[in-house]
């Protein structure tokens, strides 16, 4: 936890490999940060779940209306 990692990527095609990208640095979460991040994103997760549920309910109502019409 808390370590910094550097990544470089490159594409591979039928004609060979491309050049490497610039270095990208990422830091792993330290202990305790993960639970804080989940708490910060909880409203987004709940809102997304409710939006998906609302879509399913509206789709079910539309299908039932088409079938029983």
């Amino acid at each position: 936890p808390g370590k910094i990692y550097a990544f470089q990527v490159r594409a591979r095609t039928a004609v060979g490999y491309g050049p490497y990208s610039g270095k990208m640095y990422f830091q792993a979460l330290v202990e305790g940060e993960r639970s804080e991040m989940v708490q910060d994103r909880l409203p987004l997760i709940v809102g997304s779940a409710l939006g998906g549920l609302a879509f399913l309910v509206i789709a079910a109502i539309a299908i039932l209306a088409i079938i029983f019409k």
Side-chain angles (χ1 to χ4, degrees), residues 40-65:
D40 290 342
R41 293 185 180 172
L42 188 59
L44 178 63
I45 294 168
V46 171
S48 298
L50 289 176
L53 181 62
F55 175 77
L56 290 176
V57 168
I58 291 170
I61 291 171
I63 291 171
L64 289 174

Side-chain angles (χ1 to χ4, degrees), residues 5-21:
Y5 297 92
F7 292 93
Q8 285 184 297
V9 296
R10 67 179 178 171
R12 181 177 128 186
T13 66
V15 295
Y17 291 95
Y20 280 101
S21 69

Side-chain angles (χ1 to χ4, degrees), residues 13-47:
T13 66
V15 295
Y17 291 95
Y20 280 101
S21 69
K23 288 185 181 179
M24 295 173 276
Y25 295 95
F26 298 94
Q27 182 174 7
L29 296 176
V30 295
E31 293 296 322
E33 277 188 17
R34 183 175 181 166
S35 62
E36 291 173 9
M37 286 184 63
V38 171
Q39 290 174 356
D40 290 342
R41 293 185 180 172
L42 188 59
L44 178 63
I45 294 168
V46 171

